[in-house]
Amino acid sequence: MTKAILSVRDLCKSFGALKATDHVNLDLCTGEIHALIGPNGAGKSTLIQQIAGGMAPDSGSVHFLGQDVTQLSTPKRAQLGLARTFQISALAMEDTVLQNAMLGALGAQGHVFRFFGAASKDRALREVAKTMLERVGLADMAGARTSDLSHGQRRQLEVAVALTLKPRAFVMDEPMAGLGAEGSARLTEFLSDLRQEAPILLVEHDMDAVFALADRISVLVYGQIIATGSVADIRAHPDVRRAYLGEDA
């Protein structure tokens, strides 16, 4: 396995008697898509929040690019190059597509609150934003209001915003959610190519997409990783079949 860009070690998080994250170990390596799957209530969202900086663990550590980032905020991790897309859209719906992309570029610089002033006329920021919109196929929609986009187009925009951060790794939380078959197929193709630019930790319920994309899969059940391996390994793993995939997997 190539070098780990993101490394989680013995991460624990409890809510009263509930162990939402129970000594989790996880790596994301250069050039790979590592999928994290598991049933509802397994603790996936809690784990992702700890990795991205939205929630502090009770114990354990998160290292990114060799640096201990366990105590760093989400914006600080983003500035280091850890880009996240959300299960529920975090876009500014009343702003234009271009404005959202520019806001992401400003976030990469640490100057988000400059956006509605002189930054909106910053030619360099506009060019970065336009380039990323073109990459995801939204260049023609730059002037549209974000609320007028389809669900699939909003997913594309979220990826464009993440790309403005010049990410070294992505954390993607159910990017296929709400997409039809055509949208899922298009996004699957895009993410497959994207891994060469930055590895992706992918949380996803669409198992067709997971099996098509993942180089490795980790299965989280009741806060614990019960298996990590290739698609073939996970398909055949008896504990995974019982806990999540079913006997027809």
Side-chain angles (χ1 to χ4, degrees), residues 37-139:
I37 65 172
N40 290 331
K44 299 187 298 297
S45 294
T46 299
L47 176 57
I48 291 302
Q49 286 190 66
Q50 292 170 85
I51 291 173
M55 180 184 294
D58 296 333
S59 61
S61 64
V62 179
H63 284 75
F64 181 57
L65 300 175
Q67 178 179 342
D68 189 338
V69 299
T70 312
Q71 303 302 320
L72 294 186
S73 65
T74 298
K76 290 294 186 182
R77 296 185 202 198
Q79 288 176 33
L80 290 174
L82 184 61
R84 180 181 178 184
T85 65
F86 293 85
Q87 179 181 7
I88 300 173
S89 179
L91 299 170
M93 291 297 170
E94 295 307 309
D95 288 343
T96 67
V97 169
L98 180 60
Q99 286 171 330
N100 268 283
M102 289 181 70
L103 185 59
L106 273 173
Q109 297 180 357
H111 298 301
V112 174
F113 296 108
R114 194 167 62 90
F115 179 71
F116 291 104
S120 62
K121 300 179 178 64
D122 188 315
R123 181 174 296 181
L125 284 174
R126 292 177 71 88
E127 289 306 312
V128 169
K130 286 181 177 179
T131 297
M132 299 314 169
L133 291 177
E134 185 173 358
R135 284 195 61 189
V136 302
L138 288 179

